[in-house]
Amino acid sequence: MRFDLMMIRSMMLLGLMKCAASGLDKVGGKHGWDQNVNYTDWASHQHFYVGDWLYFVFDKHYYSVLEVNQTNYEQCIDSDFISNITRGGRDVFHLTQARPYYFISSGGYCFHGMKLAINVEQPLPASPAPSSSNKTNASPPQIDKHLIISAFASSTLVWMFLFAQAT
């Protein structure tokens, strides 16, 4: 019985660590997916990579999330969409390719600014350590969301293991 519990916890942790390799971006930040949010400005301060997830938080009774092509994005056309992401108002979308993505809300809300265009890039390769001769001119290391999430997942793994040992 003890082995089964440890196996289940290990599998959960592996899933957590897999998710930690990707970022989860709440669209619109604290405002979520709503009217009167400048999504162009919000997106300009973000970096999106293959494997990341977009997290749309909205009132499903009023709004929707549709993935559309560039023309439908620019003209706020909500027919002939690529996919309807709307499920329950707390919906995620997996960015699986390095390319532009376009999202709008139907029902005329796109005309009120509920539209998002992002460009997804390949993840950056790990940078080599600077040589000792360049240390005086080296810029400080950059910490991105993937490293923070990985650190969180690792610490969660340690705490769960310690908790399992205590019980």
Side-chain angles (χ1 to χ4, degrees):
M1 180 72 169
R2 180 88 171 144
F3 176 76
D4 291 340
L5 184 60
M6 288 300 294
M7 186 62 117
I8 291 170
R9 287 182 178 158
S10 297
M11 296 302 284
M12 290 173 50
L13 292 172
L14 286 173
L16 178 63
M17 290 175 67
K18 184 178 186 314
C19 290
S22 303
L24 180 68
D25 295 294
K26 181 179 176 186
V27 175
K30 67 180 179 179
H31 303 289
W33 185 241
D34 203 351
Q35 294 184 73
N36 303 315
V37 176
N38 185 336
Y39 292 102
T40 302
D41 182 57
W42 174 81
S44 72
H45 295 92
Q46 309 297 317
H47 292 280
F48 302 99
Y49 300 100
V50 171
D52 285 355
W53 293 82
L54 296 179
Y55 178 44
F56 291 89
V57 178
F58 58 98
D59 185 339
K60 71 175 182 170
H61 296 101
Y62 296 104
Y63 310 128
S64 63
V65 182
L66 306 175
E67 180 188 6
V68 296
N69 63 32
Q70 183 177 2
T71 301
N72 289 12
Y73 168 82
E74 291 168 351
Q75 298 176 11
C76 288
I77 299 171
D78 59 8
S79 60
D80 299 323
F81 51 83
I82 297 169
S83 64
N84 184 348
I85 300 159
T86 310
R87 298 291 177 266
R90 304 278 183 273
D91 303 320
V92 294
F93 183 84
H94 194 204
L95 302 171
T96 59
Q97 298 176 4
R99 66 175 176 87
Y101 285 84
Y102 303 94
F103 303 93
I104 65 171
S105 184
S106 62
Y109 292 107
C110 176
F111 293 106
H112 297 281
M114 290 186 71
K115 56 194 276 184
L116 171 68
I118 62 170
N119 188 41
V120 175
E121 305 170 33
Q122 288 293 336
L124 299 173
S127 59
S131 66
S132 60
S133 62
N134 292 340
K135 284 189 178 182
T136 56
N137 295 330
S139 60
Q142 299 296 313
I143 300 175
D144 71 2
K145 63 185 173 191
H146 298 97
L147 293 176
I148 293 170
I149 292 171
S150 295
F152 173 75
S154 298
S155 64
T156 302
L157 175 66
V158 169
W159 281 106
M160 288 181 70
F161 180 75
L162 291 174
F163 178 74
Q165 296 298 318
T167 57

Short mmCIF file of all heavy atoms in Angstrom, two decimals, residues 98-122:
data_model
loop_
_atom_site.label_atom_id
_atom_site.label_comp_id
_atom_site.label_asym_id
_atom_site.label_seq_id
_atom_site.Cartn_x
_atom_site.Cartn_y
_atom_site.Cartn_z
N ALA A 98 5.53 27.80 -33.39
CA ALA A 98 6.12 29.14 -33.48
C ALA A 98 5.48 29.84 -34.67
O ALA A 98 5.78 29.53 -35.82
CB ALA A 98 7.63 29.04 -33.64
N ARG A 99 4.54 30.74 -34.37
CA ARG A 99 3.81 31.46 -35.40
C ARG A 99 2.96 32.53 -34.74
O ARG A 99 2.81 32.54 -33.51
CB ARG A 99 2.92 30.52 -36.21
CG ARG A 99 1.78 29.90 -35.39
CD ARG A 99 0.87 29.08 -36.27
NE ARG A 99 -0.18 28.39 -35.56
CZ ARG A 99 -1.37 28.90 -35.26
NH1 ARG A 99 -1.65 30.16 -35.57
NH2 ARG A 99 -2.27 28.18 -34.62
N PRO A 100 2.36 33.43 -35.53
CA PRO A 100 1.40 34.38 -34.94
C PRO A 100 0.09 33.67 -34.59
O PRO A 100 -0.33 32.75 -35.30
CB PRO A 100 1.17 35.40 -36.06
CG PRO A 100 2.23 35.16 -37.06
CD PRO A 100 2.67 33.74 -36.92
N TYR A 101 -0.51 34.09 -33.50
CA TYR A 101 -1.84 33.60 -33.09
C TYR A 101 -2.74 34.83 -32.94
O TYR A 101 -2.29 35.88 -32.47
CB TYR A 101 -1.77 32.88 -31.75
CG TYR A 101 -1.17 31.49 -31.79
CD1 TYR A 101 0.20 31.31 -31.74
CD2 TYR A 101 -1.98 30.36 -31.85
CE1 TYR A 101 0.76 30.03 -31.75
CE2 TYR A 101 -1.44 29.09 -31.85
CZ TYR A 101 -0.07 28.93 -31.81
OH TYR A 101 0.47 27.67 -31.82
N TYR A 102 -4.02 34.65 -33.27
CA TYR A 102 -4.98 35.73 -33.19
C TYR A 102 -6.23 35.24 -32.46
O TYR A 102 -6.75 34.16 -32.77
CB TYR A 102 -5.37 36.21 -34.59
CG TYR A 102 -4.19 36.66 -35.42
CD1 TYR A 102 -3.55 35.78 -36.28
CD2 TYR A 102 -3.69 37.95 -35.29
CE1 TYR A 102 -2.45 36.18 -37.02
CE2 TYR A 102 -2.60 38.37 -36.03
CZ TYR A 102 -1.98 37.47 -36.89
OH TYR A 102 -0.89 37.88 -37.63
N PHE A 103 -6.71 36.05 -31.51
CA PHE A 103 -7.88 35.69 -30.72
C PHE A 103 -8.83 36.89 -30.65
O PHE A 103 -8.38 38.04 -30.55
CB PHE A 103 -7.48 35.31 -29.29
CG PHE A 103 -6.49 34.18 -29.24
CD1 PHE A 103 -5.13 34.43 -29.19
CD2 PHE A 103 -6.92 32.87 -29.25
CE1 PHE A 103 -4.20 33.40 -29.14
CE2 PHE A 103 -6.00 31.82 -29.22
CZ PHE A 103 -4.64 32.09 -29.17
N ILE A 104 -10.13 36.61 -30.70
CA ILE A 104 -11.14 37.66 -30.54
C ILE A 104 -12.26 37.12 -29.67
O ILE A 104 -12.40 35.91 -29.48
CB ILE A 104 -11.71 38.15 -31.89
CG1 ILE A 104 -12.49 37.04 -32.60
CG2 ILE A 104 -10.60 38.71 -32.78
CD1 ILE A 104 -13.28 37.52 -33.83
N SER A 105 -13.10 38.04 -29.19
CA SER A 105 -14.35 37.67 -28.54
C SER A 105 -15.46 37.95 -29.53
O SER A 105 -15.43 38.95 -30.25
CB SER A 105 -14.57 38.48 -27.26
OG SER A 105 -15.75 38.04 -26.60
N SER A 106 -16.45 37.07 -29.59
CA SER A 106 -17.56 37.25 -30.52
C SER A 106 -18.60 38.19 -29.92
O SER A 106 -18.38 38.78 -28.86
CB SER A 106 -18.19 35.90 -30.85
OG SER A 106 -18.72 35.30 -29.68
N GLY A 107 -19.72 38.33 -30.60
CA GLY A 107 -20.82 39.16 -30.10
C GLY A 107 -20.54 40.65 -30.16
O GLY A 107 -21.14 41.42 -29.41
N GLY A 108 -19.62 41.07 -31.00
CA GLY A 108 -19.32 42.48 -31.14
C GLY A 108 -18.31 43.01 -30.14
O GLY A 108 -17.88 44.16 -30.23
N TYR A 109 -17.90 42.19 -29.16
CA TYR A 109 -16.95 42.66 -28.14
C TYR A 109 -15.56 42.91 -28.73
O TYR A 109 -14.78 43.68 -28.18
CB TYR A 109 -16.88 41.68 -26.98
CG TYR A 109 -18.16 41.66 -26.19
CD1 TYR A 109 -19.04 40.58 -26.27
CD2 TYR A 109 -18.52 42.73 -25.38
CE1 TYR A 109 -20.22 40.56 -25.56
CE2 TYR A 109 -19.70 42.73 -24.67
CZ TYR A 109 -20.56 41.63 -24.77
OH TYR A 109 -21.73 41.63 -24.07
N CYS A 110 -15.26 42.26 -29.85
CA CYS A 110 -13.98 42.51 -30.51
C CYS A 110 -13.85 43.99 -30.86
O CYS A 110 -12.77 44.57 -30.74
CB CYS A 110 -13.89 41.65 -31.77
SG CYS A 110 -12.41 41.93 -32.76
N PHE A 111 -14.95 44.61 -31.27
CA PHE A 111 -14.93 46.04 -31.62
C PHE A 111 -14.67 46.92 -30.39
O PHE A 111 -14.32 48.08 -30.52
CB PHE A 111 -16.24 46.45 -32.29
CG PHE A 111 -16.44 45.82 -33.64
CD1 PHE A 111 -17.37 44.80 -33.80
CD2 PHE A 111 -15.69 46.22 -34.73
CE1 PHE A 111 -17.55 44.21 -35.05
CE2 PHE A 111 -15.86 45.63 -35.99
CZ PHE A 111 -16.80 44.62 -36.14
N HIS A 112 -14.85 46.36 -29.20
CA HIS A 112 -14.57 47.08 -27.95
C HIS A 112 -13.20 46.71 -27.38
O HIS A 112 -12.93 46.92 -26.21
CB HIS A 112 -15.65 46.79 -26.91
CG HIS A 112 -17.00 47.28 -27.33
ND1 HIS A 112 -17.38 48.60 -27.23
CD2 HIS A 112 -18.04 46.62 -27.89
CE1 HIS A 112 -18.60 48.73 -27.69
NE2 HIS A 112 -19.04 47.55 -28.10
N GLY A 113 -12.36 46.13 -28.23
CA GLY A 113 -10.98 45.87 -27.84
C GLY A 113 -10.67 44.47 -27.38
O GLY A 113 -9.52 44.17 -27.01
N MET A 114 -11.65 43.58 -27.38
CA MET A 114 -11.38 42.21 -26.92
C MET A 114 -10.81 41.39 -28.05
O MET A 114 -11.47 40.55 -28.66
CB MET A 114 -12.64 41.57 -26.33
CG MET A 114 -13.03 42.20 -25.02
SD MET A 114 -14.40 41.36 -24.22
CE MET A 114 -13.62 39.85 -23.69
N LYS A 115 -9.54 41.67 -28.35
CA LYS A 115 -8.80 40.96 -29.39
C LYS A 115 -7.34 40.94 -29.01
O LYS A 115 -6.82 41.88 -28.41
CB LYS A 115 -9.03 41.60 -30.76
CG LYS A 115 -8.69 43.08 -30.82
CD LYS A 115 -9.24 43.77 -32.06
CE LYS A 115 -8.38 43.61 -33.26
NZ LYS A 115 -8.84 44.33 -34.45
N LEU A 116 -6.70 39.85 -29.33
CA LEU A 116 -5.31 39.66 -28.93
C LEU A 116 -4.54 39.04 -30.08
O LEU A 116 -4.98 38.05 -30.67
CB LEU A 116 -5.24 38.73 -27.71
CG LEU A 116 -3.86 38.23 -27.28
CD1 LEU A 116 -3.01 39.37 -26.75
CD2 LEU A 116 -3.99 37.12 -26.25
N ALA A 117 -3.40 39.63 -30.42
CA ALA A 117 -2.48 39.08 -31.41
C ALA A 117 -1.14 38.88 -30.71
O ALA A 117 -0.64 39.79 -30.05
CB ALA A 117 -2.33 40.02 -32.60
N ILE A 118 -0.59 37.68 -30.84
CA ILE A 118 0.72 37.40 -30.25
C ILE A 118 1.59 36.67 -31.26
O ILE A 118 1.08 36.05 -32.20
CB ILE A 118 0.60 36.55 -28.95
CG1 ILE A 118 -0.03 35.18 -29.25
CG2 ILE A 118 -0.17 37.30 -27.88
CD1 ILE A 118 0.05 34.21 -28.09
N ASN A 119 2.88 36.74 -31.06
CA ASN A 119 3.82 36.00 -31.88
C ASN A 119 4.55 35.01 -30.97
O ASN A 119 5.19 35.41 -30.01
CB ASN A 119 4.82 36.93 -32.56
CG ASN A 119 5.67 36.20 -33.56
OD1 ASN A 119 5.18 35.36 -34.31
ND2 ASN A 119 6.95 36.51 -33.59
N VAL A 120 4.42 33.74 -31.28
CA VAL A 120 5.03 32.69 -30.46
C VAL A 120 6.36 32.29 -31.09
O VAL A 120 6.45 32.08 -32.29
CB VAL A 120 4.09 31.48 -30.36
CG1 VAL A 120 4.74 30.33 -29.62
CG2 VAL A 120 2.79 31.89 -29.68
N GLU A 121 7.38 32.22 -30.24
CA GLU A 121 8.74 31.91 -30.68
C GLU A 121 9.17 30.54 -30.16
O GLU A 121 8.59 30.02 -29.21
CB GLU A 121 9.71 32.97 -30.14
CG GLU A 121 9.35 34.39 -30.49
CD GLU A 121 10.19 35.41 -29.74
OE1 GLU A 121 11.37 35.12 -29.47
OE2 GLU A 121 9.66 36.47 -29.40
N GLN A 122 10.22 30.01 -30.76
CA GLN A 122 10.84 28.80 -30.23
C GLN A 122 11.49 29.16 -28.89
O GLN A 122 11.98 30.27 -28.73
CB GLN A 122 11.91 28.26 -31.19
CG GLN A 122 11.35 27.63 -32.44
CD GLN A 122 10.57 26.35 -32.16
OE1 GLN A 122 10.77 25.68 -31.16
NE2 GLN A 122 9.68 26.03 -33.08
#
